[in-house]
PDB file of all heavy atoms in Angstrom:
ATOM      1  N   MET A 115      17.256  30.798 -49.309  1.00  0.00           N
ATOM      2  CA  MET A 115      16.483  30.893 -48.072  1.00  0.00           C
ATOM      3  C   MET A 115      15.780  32.247 -48.033  1.00  0.00           C
ATOM      4  O   MET A 115      16.221  33.197 -48.685  1.00  0.00           O
ATOM      5  CB  MET A 115      17.405  30.726 -46.862  1.00  0.00           C
ATOM      6  CG  MET A 115      18.466  31.806 -46.725  1.00  0.00           C
ATOM      7  SD  MET A 115      19.647  31.420 -45.399  1.00  0.00           S
ATOM      8  CE  MET A 115      20.430  33.031 -45.204  1.00  0.00           C
ATOM      9  N   THR A 116      14.692  32.297 -47.273  1.00  0.00           N
ATOM     10  CA  THR A 116      13.959  33.561 -47.179  1.00  0.00           C
ATOM     11  C   THR A 116      14.015  34.083 -45.749  1.00  0.00           C
ATOM     12  O   THR A 116      13.623  33.383 -44.806  1.00  0.00           O
ATOM     13  CB  THR A 116      12.487  33.374 -47.606  1.00  0.00           C
ATOM     14  OG1 THR A 116      12.476  32.795 -48.910  1.00  0.00           O
ATOM     15  CG2 THR A 116      11.756  34.698 -47.635  1.00  0.00           C
ATOM     16  N   VAL A 117      14.508  35.289 -45.602  1.00  0.00           N
ATOM     17  CA  VAL A 117      14.589  35.918 -44.284  1.00  0.00           C
ATOM     18  C   VAL A 117      13.388  36.844 -44.127  1.00  0.00           C
ATOM     19  O   VAL A 117      13.131  37.693 -44.986  1.00  0.00           O
ATOM     20  CB  VAL A 117      15.899  36.733 -44.135  1.00  0.00           C
ATOM     21  CG1 VAL A 117      16.041  37.270 -42.714  1.00  0.00           C
ATOM     22  CG2 VAL A 117      17.115  35.886 -44.516  1.00  0.00           C
ATOM     23  N   LEU A 118      12.643  36.631 -43.045  1.00  0.00           N
ATOM     24  CA  LEU A 118      11.499  37.491 -42.716  1.00  0.00           C
ATOM     25  C   LEU A 118      11.964  38.482 -41.656  1.00  0.00           C
ATOM     26  O   LEU A 118      12.538  38.077 -40.639  1.00  0.00           O
ATOM     27  CB  LEU A 118      10.367  36.620 -42.153  1.00  0.00           C
ATOM     28  CG  LEU A 118       9.245  37.347 -41.400  1.00  0.00           C
ATOM     29  CD1 LEU A 118       8.405  38.213 -42.342  1.00  0.00           C
ATOM     30  CD2 LEU A 118       8.351  36.331 -40.678  1.00  0.00           C
ATOM     31  N   ILE A 119      11.728  39.752 -41.902  1.00  0.00           N
ATOM     32  CA  ILE A 119      12.162  40.765 -40.932  1.00  0.00           C
ATOM     33  C   ILE A 119      10.979  41.659 -40.554  1.00  0.00           C
ATOM     34  O   ILE A 119      10.317  42.234 -41.425  1.00  0.00           O
ATOM     35  CB  ILE A 119      13.284  41.657 -41.515  1.00  0.00           C
ATOM     36  CG1 ILE A 119      14.455  40.792 -41.981  1.00  0.00           C
ATOM     37  CG2 ILE A 119      13.764  42.671 -40.468  1.00  0.00           C
ATOM     38  CD1 ILE A 119      15.439  41.504 -42.881  1.00  0.00           C
ATOM     39  N   TYR A 120      10.725  41.741 -39.252  1.00  0.00           N
ATOM     40  CA  TYR A 120       9.798  42.745 -38.740  1.00  0.00           C
ATOM     41  C   TYR A 120      10.643  43.752 -37.984  1.00  0.00           C
ATOM     42  O   TYR A 120      11.496  43.357 -37.181  1.00  0.00           O
ATOM     43  CB  TYR A 120       8.834  42.123 -37.718  1.00  0.00           C
ATOM     44  CG  TYR A 120       7.761  41.249 -38.291  1.00  0.00           C
ATOM     45  CD1 TYR A 120       7.678  39.902 -37.922  1.00  0.00           C
ATOM     46  CD2 TYR A 120       6.784  41.760 -39.154  1.00  0.00           C
ATOM     47  CE1 TYR A 120       6.670  39.087 -38.412  1.00  0.00           C
ATOM     48  CE2 TYR A 120       5.773  40.943 -39.641  1.00  0.00           C
ATOM     49  CZ  TYR A 120       5.719  39.615 -39.273  1.00  0.00           C
ATOM     50  OH  TYR A 120       4.716  38.809 -39.752  1.00  0.00           O
ATOM     51  N   ARG A 121      10.370  45.038 -38.222  1.00  0.00           N
ATOM     52  CA  ARG A 121      11.064  46.011 -37.385  1.00  0.00           C
ATOM     53  C   ARG A 121      10.078  47.060 -36.914  1.00  0.00           C
ATOM     54  O   ARG A 121       9.033  47.260 -37.546  1.00  0.00           O
ATOM     55  CB  ARG A 121      12.257  46.617 -38.115  1.00  0.00           C
ATOM     56  CG  ARG A 121      11.882  47.406 -39.293  1.00  0.00           C
ATOM     57  CD  ARG A 121      13.088  47.905 -40.037  1.00  0.00           C
ATOM     58  NE  ARG A 121      12.618  48.814 -41.050  1.00  0.00           N
ATOM     59  CZ  ARG A 121      12.530  50.134 -40.868  1.00  0.00           C
ATOM     60  NH1 ARG A 121      12.937  50.690 -39.764  1.00  0.00           N
ATOM     61  NH2 ARG A 121      12.040  50.885 -41.836  1.00  0.00           N
ATOM     62  N   PRO A 122      10.383  47.722 -35.798  1.00  0.00           N
ATOM     63  CA  PRO A 122       9.415  48.667 -35.237  1.00  0.00           C
ATOM     64  C   PRO A 122       9.062  49.738 -36.276  1.00  0.00           C
ATOM     65  O   PRO A 122       9.955  50.352 -36.867  1.00  0.00           O
ATOM     66  CB  PRO A 122      10.153  49.280 -34.040  1.00  0.00           C
ATOM     67  CG  PRO A 122      11.236  48.306 -33.707  1.00  0.00           C
ATOM     68  CD  PRO A 122      11.601  47.625 -34.994  1.00  0.00           C
ATOM     69  N   ALA A 123       7.765  49.956 -36.483  1.00  0.00           N
ATOM     70  CA  ALA A 123       7.320  50.860 -37.550  1.00  0.00           C
ATOM     71  C   ALA A 123       7.814  52.285 -37.334  1.00  0.00           C
ATOM     72  O   ALA A 123       8.094  52.987 -38.286  1.00  0.00           O
ATOM     73  CB  ALA A 123       5.810  50.832 -37.647  1.00  0.00           C
ATOM     74  N   LYS A 124       7.916  52.674 -36.071  1.00  0.00           N
ATOM     75  CA  LYS A 124       8.236  54.085 -35.847  1.00  0.00           C
ATOM     76  C   LYS A 124       9.739  54.383 -35.833  1.00  0.00           C
ATOM     77  O   LYS A 124      10.129  55.537 -35.670  1.00  0.00           O
ATOM     78  CB  LYS A 124       7.600  54.535 -34.531  1.00  0.00           C
ATOM     79  CG  LYS A 124       6.120  54.868 -34.722  1.00  0.00           C
ATOM     80  CD  LYS A 124       5.482  55.300 -33.423  1.00  0.00           C
ATOM     81  CE  LYS A 124       4.587  54.212 -32.911  1.00  0.00           C
ATOM     82  NZ  LYS A 124       4.536  53.851 -31.581  1.00  0.00           N
ATOM     83  N   ALA A 125      10.559  53.350 -35.993  1.00  0.00           N
ATOM     84  CA  ALA A 125      12.007  53.545 -35.847  1.00  0.00           C
ATOM     85  C   ALA A 125      12.552  54.541 -36.867  1.00  0.00           C
ATOM     86  O   ALA A 125      12.284  54.424 -38.059  1.00  0.00           O
ATOM     87  CB  ALA A 125      12.722  52.215 -35.993  1.00  0.00           C
ATOM     88  N   ARG A 126      13.290  55.516 -36.378  1.00  0.00           N
ATOM     89  CA  ARG A 126      13.885  56.501 -37.302  1.00  0.00           C
ATOM     90  C   ARG A 126      15.291  56.069 -37.716  1.00  0.00           C
ATOM     91  O   ARG A 126      15.761  56.401 -38.783  1.00  0.00           O
ATOM     92  CB  ARG A 126      13.976  57.861 -36.603  1.00  0.00           C
ATOM     93  CG  ARG A 126      12.625  58.445 -36.257  1.00  0.00           C
ATOM     94  CD  ARG A 126      12.363  59.725 -37.105  1.00  0.00           C
ATOM     95  NE  ARG A 126      10.948  60.062 -37.104  1.00  0.00           N
ATOM     96  CZ  ARG A 126      10.351  60.705 -36.109  1.00  0.00           C
ATOM     97  NH1 ARG A 126      11.046  61.074 -35.061  1.00  0.00           N
ATOM     98  NH2 ARG A 126       9.063  60.981 -36.170  1.00  0.00           N
ATOM     99  N   LYS A 127      15.944  55.363 -36.756  1.00  0.00           N
ATOM    100  CA  LYS A 127      17.331  54.954 -37.017  1.00  0.00           C
ATOM    101  C   LYS A 127      17.395  53.432 -37.147  1.00  0.00           C
ATOM    102  O   LYS A 127      16.433  52.731 -36.858  1.00  0.00           O
ATOM    103  CB  LYS A 127      18.218  55.362 -35.843  1.00  0.00           C
ATOM    104  CG  LYS A 127      18.243  56.842 -35.578  1.00  0.00           C
ATOM    105  CD  LYS A 127      19.258  57.166 -34.500  1.00  0.00           C
ATOM    106  CE  LYS A 127      18.758  56.712 -33.151  1.00  0.00           C
ATOM    107  NZ  LYS A 127      19.466  57.202 -32.016  1.00  0.00           N
ATOM    108  N   ALA A 128      18.579  52.966 -37.506  1.00  0.00           N
ATOM    109  CA  ALA A 128      18.802  51.524 -37.573  1.00  0.00           C
ATOM    110  C   ALA A 128      18.590  50.920 -36.176  1.00  0.00           C
ATOM    111  O   ALA A 128      19.051  51.486 -35.179  1.00  0.00           O
ATOM    112  CB  ALA A 128      20.210  51.254 -38.062  1.00  0.00           C
ATOM    113  N   VAL A 129      17.920  49.797 -36.113  1.00  0.00           N
ATOM    114  CA  VAL A 129      17.599  49.196 -34.813  1.00  0.00           C
ATOM    115  C   VAL A 129      18.398  47.903 -34.581  1.00  0.00           C
ATOM    116  O   VAL A 129      18.781  47.227 -35.537  1.00  0.00           O
ATOM    117  CB  VAL A 129      16.076  48.862 -34.703  1.00  0.00           C
ATOM    118  CG1 VAL A 129      15.247  50.126 -34.665  1.00  0.00           C
ATOM    119  CG2 VAL A 129      15.625  47.937 -35.831  1.00  0.00           C
ATOM    120  N   PRO A 130      18.624  47.551 -33.298  1.00  0.00           N
ATOM    121  CA  PRO A 130      19.239  46.256 -33.006  1.00  0.00           C
ATOM    122  C   PRO A 130      18.243  45.140 -33.328  1.00  0.00           C
ATOM    123  O   PRO A 130      17.034  45.386 -33.408  1.00  0.00           O
ATOM    124  CB  PRO A 130      19.525  46.323 -31.505  1.00  0.00           C
ATOM    125  CG  PRO A 130      18.583  47.350 -30.969  1.00  0.00           C
ATOM    126  CD  PRO A 130      18.306  48.321 -32.080  1.00  0.00           C
ATOM    127  N   ALA A 131      18.745  43.931 -33.490  1.00  0.00           N
ATOM    128  CA  ALA A 131      17.852  42.848 -33.917  1.00  0.00           C
ATOM    129  C   ALA A 131      18.175  41.525 -33.236  1.00  0.00           C
ATOM    130  O   ALA A 131      19.305  41.296 -32.795  1.00  0.00           O
ATOM    131  CB  ALA A 131      17.971  42.667 -35.429  1.00  0.00           C
ATOM    132  N   PHE A 132      17.159  40.677 -33.172  1.00  0.00           N
ATOM    133  CA  PHE A 132      17.342  39.262 -32.834  1.00  0.00           C
ATOM    134  C   PHE A 132      17.269  38.489 -34.147  1.00  0.00           C
ATOM    135  O   PHE A 132      16.339  38.682 -34.921  1.00  0.00           O
ATOM    136  CB  PHE A 132      16.229  38.775 -31.901  1.00  0.00           C
ATOM    137  CG  PHE A 132      16.326  39.341 -30.514  1.00  0.00           C
ATOM    138  CD1 PHE A 132      15.671  40.520 -30.176  1.00  0.00           C
ATOM    139  CD2 PHE A 132      17.091  38.710 -29.542  1.00  0.00           C
ATOM    140  CE1 PHE A 132      15.775  41.056 -28.898  1.00  0.00           C
ATOM    141  CE2 PHE A 132      17.203  39.235 -28.255  1.00  0.00           C
ATOM    142  CZ  PHE A 132      16.537  40.406 -27.938  1.00  0.00           C
TER     143      PHE A 132
END
Side-chain angles (χ1 to χ4, degrees):
M115 63 187 195
T116 305
V117 186
L118 164 68
I119 304 165
Y120 286 120
R121 64 184 188 93
K124 279 179 253 138
R126 296 247 162 81
K127 300 186 288 193
V129 292
F132 289 91

